[in-house]
Amino acid sequence: MVRRLSFTKYEHEVLPDFRQKINLAESTRDVRNFFYHATSELFDNVFGDTVRIDYDDIELVPDCDDCFVISDRLRKSTGFASIWKDSDLPNVVSRMARSATNRCKRLEKHTEKTDAKIRM
């Protein structure tokens, strides 16, 4: 039997602040930034100082199946790859990405609200 690591504990630590921020986001750019910061915090909790996360390492991509992309540099990192493969971390990040993607789609549908906030 293969042992899988679970990081839902860390997800629950990051999620309330992440949800609050994306709900208050006024643009899709804000949502993308909040997604990066939340996943970066999650990765810091999981990996500590063993893996360095750069802004380009994780990106919200609403048009792809998983709704996010992890950079090749990060995927090839020894400390990252083994944990990513043998844990629920991809599922955790995917759930966060779907929430952010849903918020992006809502903002895109209701651009008049976003435009009104920007003009104020």
Side-chain angles (χ1 to χ4, degrees):
M1 186 167 139
V2 176
R3 184 168 184 250
R4 291 196 41 96
L5 300 171
S6 178
F7 296 108
T8 54
K9 170 186 168 186
Y10 297 122
E11 176 186 19
H12 293 300
E13 290 175 6
V14 172
L15 214 51
D17 188 47
F18 173 64
R19 284 182 178 154
Q20 181 182 13
K21 286 181 178 177
I22 64 170
N23 285 337
L24 296 175
E26 296 179 356
S27 70
T28 57
R29 175 173 283 186
D30 290 344
V31 174
R32 290 174 195 275
N33 286 333
F34 295 145
F35 173 74
Y36 164 75
H37 289 292
T39 53
S40 179
E41 182 181 343
L42 175 71
F43 287 172
D44 284 344
N45 290 339
V46 171
F47 299 107
D49 293 335
T50 60
V51 177
R52 182 178 51 88
I53 309 296
D54 293 332
Y55 190 79
D56 296 338
D57 286 332
I58 185 153
E59 182 181 357
L60 184 68
V61 183
D63 299 333
C64 76
D65 291 337
D66 291 331
C67 301
F68 71 95
V69 174
I70 302 283
S71 72
D72 287 339
R73 181 197 71 81
L74 194 57
R75 284 186 185 270
K76 292 177 183 174
S77 168
T78 310
F80 180 85
S82 61
I83 290 178
W84 185 259
K85 180 182 164 207
D86 297 330
S87 72
D88 67 346
L89 195 55
N91 295 330
V92 170
V93 175
S94 183
R95 286 191 292 267
M96 293 172 62
R98 280 193 298 269
S99 293
T101 296
N102 289 339
R103 181 63 177 155
C104 283
K105 289 178 181 178
R106 181 163 174 77
L107 287 169
E108 288 170 353
K109 284 182 184 178
H110 301 287
T111 56
E112 69 281 352
K113 290 182 182 178
T114 303
D115 292 342
K117 287 180 183 179
I118 292 171
R119 287 189 202 124
M120 293 179 99

